[in-house]
Amino acid sequence: MAEPFKNLINAGTVVEAGLHLHRVWPAFDRARFESLATTGLETLELKARAMLLADALEATLPEDFAQATDVIEASLAPPLPLDARASPCHWARLNANQASAAGRSGRSASSWCAGA
């Protein structure tokens, strides 16, 4: 049987979100966020998990909505590079080990898209 969709929001995803938020906003209280967002998380269904996460973000991000959204947006991964057909290019489909090797080779994402 497939794992319930609700399990995509779990303690690990909360920690990952906290790491990325703190990366772009060093004043982010990661410990408080993680505590708020994981208290009782495992007992909740999907919508309640999402609401718990939203409440934790509201409690730990700047009160100013524009500032809070700037922090959230900056914490997201950059857009995937697209090829000429507007499909994610080969570089975007690499697994983590391949992408790491590509980065060490000095090749950029755009060079992988161009096939250089």
Side-chain angles (χ1 to χ4, degrees), residues 61-84:
L61 287 171
E63 286 186 29
D64 179 76
F65 183 77
Q67 287 179 323
T69 57
D70 285 347
V71 171
I72 292 171
E73 185 176 1
S75 73
L76 300 175
L80 293 175
L82 302 177
D83 64 16

Side-chain angles (χ1 to χ4, degrees), residues 79-92 109-110 113-114:
L80 293 175
L82 302 177
D83 64 16
R85 295 180 307 238
S87 296
C89 69
H90 173 72
W91 182 86
S110 58
C113 287

Side-chain angles (χ1 to χ4, degrees), residues 18-31 60-62 71 74:
L19 288 169
H20 290 288
L21 291 162
H22 187 261
R23 173 179 50 82
V24 299
W25 186 45
F28 182 69
D29 188 347
R30 209 176 107 211
T60 54
L61 287 171
V71 171

Side-chain angles (χ1 to χ4, degrees), residues 24-82:
V24 299
W25 186 45
F28 182 69
D29 188 347
R30 209 176 107 211
R32 181 170 178 239
F33 167 74
E34 290 174 9
S35 175
L36 292 170
T38 57
T39 301
L41 181 68
E42 295 302 318
T43 65
L44 302 174
E45 294 301 319
L46 179 63
K47 185 175 180 181
R49 287 176 184 226
M51 292 306 301
L52 182 65
L53 189 60
D55 290 343
L57 286 168
E58 183 178 14
T60 54
L61 287 171
E63 286 186 29
D64 179 76
F65 183 77
Q67 287 179 323
T69 57
D70 285 347
V71 171
I72 292 171
E73 185 176 1
S75 73
L76 300 175
L80 293 175
L82 302 177

